[in-house]
Amino acid sequence: MDFQQQIRDAAEQWPVRAGETPFKGRVTGVRTEEVQMPDGTWARRDYQTHPGSVSVLAVDDRQRVLILRQYRHPVRQRLWELPAGLLDVPGENPLHAAQRELFEEAHCKAGEWRVLVDFYTSPGGTDEALRLFLATDLSEAEGDRYAAHGEELEIETARVPLEELIRLVLAGELHNPTLITGTLALHAALTGPGLDALRPADSPWPARPFRQD
């Protein structure tokens, strides 16, 4: 078997005979659909609708990763995470959104951007797609700091060596899926094909097509 040709995800849609959106919030909603199974029966599937997200794994010249700690009410924990945010505008360029989040949450900018990995955050329960960027050549952003509000008022920041993050992930001390994915993906890139093998920051993203502007 040629694994380069065979081991990849593929677009597919099973028949849907009924659907409704019983709840629509400010950002996300809940969609209910009846989907036909391979044996011909019909099953109800409920899932969260989501506009999509971006996140940034920012690494400084000492190979320290910029992380944030923020309260997350659904799990009743204050989690260490990567800078991240929603794609608020349909068709928004994800790179521009990631640059905005890095500025707003950490008052930083980066000279080099690459796509580290694309993934669905929880494909059994939501259609959220997330693009995770690798940002290097970091420096302090210019201008005034973003005026935080709500949960953002108590955000803490830290710069942690990549090797220490790997240890904490494997020890079960860190639980945010984007932080875990990014940490292990960066380690895999550095110990494998190298950063030059990563995709350019403006690479197509079929899960969330965007304008090239």
Side-chain angles (χ1 to χ4, degrees):
M1 178 183 292
D2 183 350
F3 290 103
Q4 292 293 330
Q5 295 296 322
Q6 300 295 329
I7 307 300
R8 61 180 59 183
D9 296 335
E12 184 174 339
Q13 181 169 310
W14 292 2
V16 175
R17 71 177 181 184
E20 61 175 341
T21 306
F23 170 76
K24 180 65 176 176
R26 184 180 64 85
V27 175
T28 67
V30 174
R31 179 75 178 166
T32 296
E33 295 178 339
E34 291 187 26
V35 185
Q36 189 174 37
M37 300 293 104
D39 63 0
T41 62
W42 295 85
R44 173 175 163 170
R45 293 290 180 264
D46 303 320
Y47 61 95
Q48 180 195 42
T49 59
H50 196 285
S53 305
V54 294
S55 186
V56 185
L57 195 154
V59 186
D60 65 19
D61 56 6
R62 295 167 56 187
Q63 209 168 66
R64 298 178 304 171
V65 178
L66 172 64
I67 60 174
L68 315 169
R69 189 159 73 160
Q70 187 170 355
Y71 176 68
R72 293 303 186 186
H73 187 69
V75 295
R76 272 61 169 182
Q77 289 196 24
R78 194 183 293 267
L79 300 179
W80 285 105
E81 306 178 344
L82 300 176
L86 299 170
L87 292 170
D88 295 319
V89 181
E92 181 180 16
N93 189 311
L95 175 59
H96 298 171
Q99 291 170 333
R100 179 182 67 239
E101 294 302 327
L102 185 60
F103 169 79
E104 291 182 355
E105 296 192 348
H107 200 64
C108 283
K109 62 181 181 180
E112 295 287 338
W113 291 82
R114 299 177 177 90
V115 175
L116 183 57
V117 68
D118 297 328
F119 63 100
Y120 295 107
T121 58
S122 184
T126 177
D127 65 358
E128 180 183 6
L130 187 146
R131 169 157 281 190
L132 175 53
F133 290 91
L134 174 66
T136 55
D137 187 20
L138 302 184
S139 61
E140 185 83 2
E142 300 169 357
D144 295 333
R145 287 185 173 271
Y146 173 72
H149 59 279
E151 295 169 335
E152 299 171 343
L153 289 171
E154 293 192 353
I155 284 182
E156 302 172 56
T157 65
R159 295 197 183 198
V160 181
L162 177 61
E163 292 302 318
E164 176 64 7
L165 280 183
I166 294 169
R167 186 191 69 78
L168 292 168
V169 166
L170 298 180
E173 299 293 341
L174 300 173
H175 304 90
N176 178 270
T178 307
L179 174 58
I180 292 171
T181 299
T183 297
L184 300 182
L186 178 59
H187 176 69
L190 290 171
T191 57
L195 299 187
D196 289 340
L198 297 176
R199 288 169 290 158
D202 60 352
S203 294
W205 188 16
R208 293 292 186 274
F210 60 90
R211 301 183 301 271
Q212 291 281 359
D213 54 7

